[in-house]
């Protein structure tokens, strides 16, 4: 945990988030500036500024969770695919310096834009609840 890290504060519950998945090592929540419905960030609980600064084990665990959880997100949302993204470093557009993978669900017949939207908290809460029905059915 890094005390001045936004995503560490989200994991700790000190800053609210729209959680879609959690286990011992990984936390996932909706991006507040989604490029598509259900755009989520998957982050390791162990703090590292980026994918390569963190351990290989943490990187593998993170990808393992995306492997298992992304299909459930797609099923919950009726998505037909997803883009998986990493902005590694300032010059690649990284803004938050805690490792994260973007999972951006995509829908048949919809334009594949990377333009961010600003949905209401109510809309995000509804989408997160819809996803959790498949990703965290016992929560
Ligand atoms: P990156 O450019 O890869 O570092 O992406 C950081 C992402 O974090 C951006 O897409 C932001 O919209 C998102 N973000 C920033 N603050 C929050 C927050 N409090 N809750 C959810 N997503 C956030």
């Amino acid at each position: 945990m890094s005390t001045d890290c936004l995503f560490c504060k989200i994991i700790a519950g000190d800053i609210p988030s729209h959680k879609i998945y959690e286990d011992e090592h990984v936390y996932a929540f909706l991006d507040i500036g989604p490029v598509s419905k259900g755009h989520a960030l998957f982050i390791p609980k162990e703090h590292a500024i980026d994918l390569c600064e963190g351990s290989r084990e943490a990187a593998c665990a993170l990808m393992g969770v995306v492997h298992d959880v992304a299909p459930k997100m797609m099923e919950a949302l009726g998505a037909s695919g997803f883009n998986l993204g990493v902005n590694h470093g300032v010059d690649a557009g990284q803004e938050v310096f805690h490792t994260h993978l973007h999972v951006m669900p995509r829908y048949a017949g919809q334009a594949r834009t990377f333009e961010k939207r600003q949905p209401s908290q109510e809309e995000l809460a509804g989408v997160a609840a819809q996803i959790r029905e498949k990703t965290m059915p016992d929560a």
Side-chain angles (χ1 to χ4, degrees):
M1 163 116 188
S2 167
T3 49
D4 59 356
C5 170
L6 172 64
F7 286 176
C8 283
K9 288 178 184 163
I10 284 177
I11 293 165
D14 295 337
I15 290 178
S17 68
H18 297 286
K19 180 165 82 171
I20 61 155
Y21 177 80
E22 180 172 15
D23 66 23
E24 194 185 345
H25 300 295
V26 175
Y27 190 90
F29 57 106
L30 294 183
D31 194 305
I32 50 166
V35 302
S36 66
K37 181 181 176 183
H39 178 173
L41 302 172
F42 285 67
I43 66 178
K45 288 187 172 176
E46 187 181 288
H47 179 79
I49 60 166
D50 62 39
L51 193 66
C52 300
E53 192 243 10
S55 67
R56 190 174 192 279
E57 289 71 25
C60 290
L62 190 61
M63 187 57 86
V65 169
V66 171
H67 172 277
D68 293 346
V69 173
K72 294 177 183 171
M73 290 174 64
M74 288 170 59
E75 188 187 353
L77 297 167
S80 50
F82 64 88
N83 291 113
L84 179 61
V86 185
N87 298 323
H88 187 99
V90 174
D91 292 336
Q94 185 175 358
E95 293 175 353
V96 178
F97 290 87
H98 180 123
T99 308
H100 55 280
L101 301 182
H102 294 257
V103 174
M104 297 160 272
R106 296 300 185 182
Y107 303 86
Q110 285 188 13
R112 196 171 59 252
T113 177
F114 286 93
E115 200 171 314
K116 285 168 163 284
R117 291 193 309 116
Q118 299 296 325
S120 66
Q121 291 298 315
E122 290 72 24
E123 183 181 337
L124 289 171
V127 172
Q130 195 179 340
I131 295 172
R132 283 196 306 270
E133 280 180 21
K134 294 291 181 191
T135 59
M136 307 183 75
D138 303 325

